[in-house]
Structures are given as C-alpha cells and as structure tokens.
Amino acid sequence: MTVDAETALAHAPPGHKDELRLWLRLLTCTTLIEGEIRTRLRRDYDTTLPRFDLMAALDRDPGGITLGEVSRRMMVSNGNVTGLATRLEAEGLVERRARPGDRRAQLLRLTPKGRREFARQSAAHEGWIADLLAGLGEADRAALFRLLGTAKASVRAALSPEDP
Amino acid sequence: MTVDAETALAHAPPGHKDELRLWLRLLTCTTLIEGEIRTRLRRDYDTTLPRFDLMAALDRDPGGITLGEVSRRMMVSNGNVTGLATRLEAEGLVERRARPGDRRAQLLRLTPKGRREFARQSAAHEGWIADLLAGLGEADRAALFRLLGTAKASVRAALSPEDP
DNA sequence: CGCGGATTCTTGAAGCTTAAAGTAATCGGC
DNA sequence: GCCGATTACTTTAAGCTTCAAGAATCCGCG
C-alpha cells in the first residue's frame, strides 16, 4: 500500500461507470413510472401529463400565478407554457387575466371546471403512484427520499455558478 | 390504544402523500440531470439526447440490432425509432441493412463515422454524469443504486400482468 | 423626462413523441 | 399448400418541447 498502489489507482481509467449506472437506473425508474401515468391519464381522463402538470402547478394558488412562475415550477421553457395554457384555456380549464399594475404579465388560474377536473385527476394520480411504489416499505421510502435529496443537492451545486 | 385508535386510522384519509413526494423528488432529479445533458449535447456536439440514446443502444452490437430491439431498449414507440433512424441515417451515423432470412426486419448499426462520433460523445457524457453526481459519496451511491433497484422492481411488479 | 437594459410573454422552425392505422412478411396448423 | 394470426416496420395526426428571435412593458438612472 505504498506508491505502487497509489500510482495504479491514479493511472486507472477514469472509471465513472458507477455514476453512469446509477443515472441509468434513475432514468429507467422515472421513465417507467412516467410512461404508466401518461397512459392512465389518457385512458381514464383523456388528458396528458403536461396538461396535468400545469394544472397541478396552478392548484395551490387560487389567485393565479404568472406564466413565468408556471414555467419555473414545471421546469420547462416559456414558449411551452404559452402553448399549453392556450390549449387548456380553449377547453375552459384555465383562464388568463391581467396582473394589476403590470401589463406584461398575465395571471393564470384554474376555472371552477378546471378545479373540479383536477381534483378528480389528482386523487387518481396519487393512488397510481402509491400502487406503483407499494413494493417499497416505509423505511426504504424514507431512505430513498433522503438520498434523492442529496442527489438533487449535488446536481444543483454542480449547476449553480460559483458566485455567491 | 384500542378500538378508537384503530378506527381513527382506518378512517383517516388514504394519505399516500409520502409516495407522492418521493415520486416528485425522483422526477425532479431526473429532469434536472436530463435537461443539463440535453443542453451540453447540443452545445458541444450539436446533437440531441434521443440521437445519443439511439447510438448508445447500438454501440454494444457491432453486427446491428433490429429497430424493434432498439425500441425495446430505449423504451419508446416503434414509430419513434423509425424517425430517429431515418434522420441519423441521413447524417451517415447509422445504416440499415437487411436481416438475412427475414425481409420484414432490418438491422441497424453504427457506421464507422457514427462509432467515432459516439465514442467522443459518450466519454464526455460519462464525465458530465460523474460531475453532476459528485456530491454523493461511494456509500450513498451504492445505497441509492440498491434502493432504485427495489423501486424499479416495485413498478415492474405493479405493471406486469398477474399470469405466470 | 427619456433612454437603455431587463422582464414577460409570444411566435416560428425544427425536432421529438405517442397512439392508431396501415403494409408487408413470417409462422403455425391443418 | 394455404389461411389466419403474429411480427416488424412505416405512416399519419396531434400534441409536446426547445431554442432563438421578436414585441411590449417596466424600471432605474441620469
């Protein structure tokens, strides 16, 4: 355990295979769940995941939030939200209204119809997720939640610019 | 701690909020990483994640695999692969050829140019992932990998039909 | 005031994605 | 041999997504 071992390690191929495997497994889990949720939303409610996500982003703020805030919460582009909001508005599920004192911004909020629809959908959605993750015990769930928090912090740290 | 407590529990709202929170955190992690990989692939290699994924699916089989097998590995629809393969073929990165003895199927494989390109891209990709997950120690990574395996098994079990 | 930069949102082009329907070839049983 | 079921792929329509460019508005500073 002297210079030789250290040298061997230092010269070993980068070997980030572990991280890669972890990422691929993370991606697989997400893809599996997301695909199933997509299918069920279409089958049972004739809607899509992005529509559901947008309504979820609005649900906690009865007064409405700006399109930009929706974009931030959903982690998608501005233009994306514009299109989604337009389609949902056409279906009477959300409505735009001016933000007092700022003619650039618009507030988006659920209509009563949208609120009813989302209540039904989100109850089913919560049950689906619980079913899919039913194989994890309480302890596993807690541990996984914590570790994913660490992972999230790691990614955010790697992404944030180095200026405090 | 008698009938009353039990009754209270039984009548409590379903309360699958924990599973939901776990799912949302899982989704956030994946979205963050995926978005960054997308951005870097575009910035550094002028390509997209689906293109990269398709090439990755081909990389381990020099003889080529069928479009259907690609579709299974990528967990996307058949039609999706058709379009991706057509675009990559037009760029000279992959090539179609007949599968001997089955005129329905086609084998898809990387061209030498595609192989060179993918080698460059995948090396960078591996480094990016390692960077993003650098905040996780060896033990955390292992634990997370194992728990995600359990989660994956849970989802697959919930999805598979009940006939052995 | 008025101008320059930042913000908020929309538009347009290109590509990705799916579900569903369609075409072609193979396989299995009789 | 042949017919029905299955498999492999493509096509189509609709919607999602991003990036980049553009338009309107707001804010701060001189």
Side-chain angles (χ1 to χ4, degrees):
Chain A
M1 194 53 105
T2 61
V3 177
D4 284 332
E6 290 177 36
T7 306
L9 270 178
H11 288 189
H16 295 315
K17 299 294 182 193
D18 275 4
E19 289 90 335
L20 196 53
R21 265 192 291 272
L22 176 56
W23 161 236
L24 292 177
R25 183 165 281 189
L26 181 66
L27 185 55
T28 297
C29 281
T30 301
T31 302
L32 279 175
I33 297 176
E34 202 170 304
E36 185 62 18
I37 297 302
R38 248 176 238 283
T39 298
R40 295 188 188 185
L41 279 174
R42 177 180 305 269
R43 184 194 62 195
D44 294 351
Y45 298 100
D46 192 29
T47 189
T48 66
L49 190 50
R51 280 165 151 91
F52 176 82
D53 287 343
L54 192 154
M55 292 203 286
L58 296 181
D59 188 51
R60 296 212 167 211
D61 295 270
I65 56 179
T66 65
L67 296 199
E69 177 58 21
V70 172
S71 160
R72 244 164 274 129
R73 292 191 189 180
M74 293 179 69
M75 296 195 283
V76 299
S77 67
N78 273 353
N80 195 342
V81 174
T82 295
L84 279 171
T86 300
R87 283 186 289 272
L88 284 174
E89 193 177 23
E91 297 174 17
L93 296 169
V94 308
E95 59 189 1
R96 287 173 157 101
R97 62 197 185 95
R99 178 163 75 173
D102 189 344
R103 268 176 301 176
R104 294 169 306 176
Q106 305 181 49
L107 294 176
L108 201 64
R109 66 176 173 188
L110 291 174
T111 60
K113 176 184 172 190
R115 197 165 297 282
R116 278 195 305 276
E117 268 307 299
F118 180 71
R120 293 201 310 138
Q121 293 171 12
S122 70
H125 176 265
E126 188 176 319
W128 296 337
I129 297 297
D131 281 352
L132 293 174
L133 296 179
L136 268 69
E138 171 69 27
D140 278 353
R141 272 204 318 266
L144 188 47
F145 187 77
R146 188 187 66 75
L147 284 166
L148 286 172
T150 307
K152 189 165 89 174
S154 169
V155 176
R156 284 209 196 277
L159 295 186
S160 69
E162 308 298 317
D163 44 8
Chain B
M1 193 52 104
T2 60
V3 177
D4 284 333
E6 290 177 34
T7 305
L9 270 178
H11 289 188
H16 295 313
K17 299 293 183 197
D18 275 4
E19 289 91 335
L20 197 53
R21 266 192 292 271
L22 176 55
W23 162 238
L24 292 176
R25 184 165 281 189
L26 181 65
L27 186 55
T28 299
C29 281
T30 301
T31 303
L32 279 175
I33 297 176
E34 200 171 305
E36 185 62 17
I37 297 302
R38 251 177 236 282
T39 299
R40 295 188 189 185
L41 278 175
R42 176 180 305 270
R43 184 193 61 195
D44 294 351
Y45 298 101
D46 191 29
T47 189
T48 67
L49 191 48
R51 280 165 151 89
F52 176 81
D53 286 345
L54 193 155
M55 293 204 284
L58 296 181
D59 188 50
R60 295 211 166 212
D61 294 270
I65 56 180
T66 64
L67 296 200
E69 176 60 21
V70 173
S71 161
R72 245 163 274 128
R73 293 190 189 179
M74 292 179 71
M75 296 196 282
V76 301
S77 67
N78 274 352
N80 194 342
V81 174
T82 294
L84 280 171
T86 301
R87 283 186 289 272
L88 285 175
E89 194 177 23
E91 296 174 17
L93 297 168
V94 308
E95 58 190 1
R96 286 174 158 101
R97 63 197 184 96
R99 178 163 77 173
D102 189 342
R103 269 176 300 177
R104 294 169 306 177
Q106 306 181 48
L107 294 175
L108 201 65
R109 65 177 173 188
L110 292 174
T111 61
K113 175 183 172 190
R115 198 165 296 282
R116 280 196 304 277
E117 267 307 300
F118 180 71
R120 293 201 309 138
Q121 294 171 11
S122 70
H125 176 265
E126 188 175 318
W128 296 336
I129 297 297
D131 281 353
L132 294 174
L133 297 179
L136 267 69
E138 170 68 28
D140 278 354
R141 273 206 316 267
L144 188 47
F145 187 76
R146 189 187 66 75
L147 285 166
L148 286 172
T150 307
K152 190 165 86 174
S154 170
V155 176
R156 285 208 197 276
L159 295 186
S160 70
E162 307 298 318
D163 44 9

